[in-house]
Structure formats: C-alpha cells, structure tokens
Amino acid sequence: MDLLDALTEAVRVVRRVTAGLAADRCSRAEWERRLTVFVELEKLAGFGKASAAARVADADGLAALCGSSVGRAREVLAAGRALTASPVLAEAMADGQVSVDQASEIARTMTVAPGAVDELVEVARTGSLQTLRDRARRVRVDAEDPDDLRRRRHQARRVRHWIGELGMVHLDAALEPHVSAPIVERLERAARHRARRLGAGDSDG
C-alpha cells in the first residue's frame, strides 16, 4: 500500500468512527480520552496539510479547498515552507507535538532569528500557543536593530476612539512601551481596587 492509499484508508476509518459521534453517549472520562486522540489526529493532519500545501498550493486555492480565510491559508503555507528549513520543527510536527498554529508562529520568527528555532519548538511542545507567541515576539524584538525598532514603533503609533451602540466610548491604541506602561499600570491598579471593593460587598457603580 503506497502513501496515498494508506491516507485514503485512514480517512475511511476516521469517517466510520465519527459517523455517529455526535449522538454517542458515554462518560466524561471517555470523551476526554477521545478528545486527546482527536487533537493528536488534528496535529498529524496539520503536518501533512502544511507539507503538501507548501509544494502545490497558493493561498487563495488553499483557502478555497479548506474553507478557511486567505490569511489562515498563508499561515499554513508559511508553516509548510519552514519544515524544509528546520528538521527539528519538521520532526516535532510529524510526531504530533507541534500544531500548525504553533509552527506558523515559529516560521514567522525564523525569518529574523533562525537560531531560536530549537528553543521555540521546545516552548511549543510544553506550553500554550499564547506562551509561544509571547516568547517568539520577544525573540523577534531582540533580533531587531535598536534604531530600526525605535523608528518602526514611532511610525506605528495610533490612537482611535469612537462611540459604540450603547453610547460607550471605545478606544484602540498602539503606544510605545515607555508611554503605555504607566497607563496600563494605572488601569490595572484601578481594576484591582475595584475588585477589592466588590469582594468587600460594595456594589455601588
């Protein structure tokens, strides 16, 4: 049996297994075990999809095939292309330890800090996607020329506000760290103070 035949048979098996899944009644423990298996299947399928897509697909075509956004398709393609450049990442994905979302974040970072791949793969194996994103962002920032980084941050500044449907003020801002830090600290301090008052039984607005 060649690879395509094996994959086709695997799809048939999964389809048979999932045919009555929505109506199946079993224990919570059994659903938890099933969830773990389905997550592993999803990661393995993601590895195969990214590997194949990087060789034959474009973002628009992949989005149409998968029923996803073009942006999401670009992330899958980036992950697939990174596999050929990083055997460590390819091995982790092939083993079901790293998802496509994690791989695309690593691929994004590889372009500016290729030496960080091993570290980021380990973070992906053991942590959440948000933990990986936070670490990868720090790696990318550290890899930038300080003068270029300051210039890019300065140019990217923005503040926007508008009135929402309920008459409330909405804010959207991108501020440099030295500007935003005291603002965030003040907001968090006010939130903690409010939480303490509510915990003490003060329900006044």
Side-chain angles (χ1 to χ4, degrees), residues 43 97-99 101-103 106 119-135:
K43 288 182 178 180
Q97 298 181 42
V98 173
S99 69
D101 289 342
Q102 292 171 320
I106 294 172
E119 175 196 351
L120 294 178
V121 167
E122 186 59 31
V123 173
R125 282 191 178 113
T126 59
S128 67
L129 177 59
Q130 188 57 55
T131 299
L132 174 64
R133 283 175 172 163
D134 290 343
R135 179 57 190 150

Side-chain angles (χ1 to χ4, degrees), residues 43 46-47 49-51 54 62 69-83 86 89-90 92-93 97-113 117 120-121 124 128-130 132-134 136-137 140:
K43 288 182 178 180
F47 167 66
K49 180 172 71 173
S51 298
L62 183 60
S69 67
V70 174
R72 172 60 177 162
R74 290 195 183 103
E75 292 177 354
V76 174
L77 289 170
R81 290 164 184 153
L83 296 176
S86 174
L89 178 58
M93 283 197 77
Q97 298 181 42
V98 173
S99 69
V100 171
D101 289 342
Q102 292 171 320
S104 67
E105 187 67 27
I106 294 172
R108 181 183 174 194
T109 308
M110 283 173 59
T111 60
V112 295
V117 172
L120 294 178
V121 167
S128 67
L129 177 59
Q130 188 57 55
L132 174 64
R133 283 175 172 163
D134 290 343
R137 183 179 62 251
R140 291 193 297 270

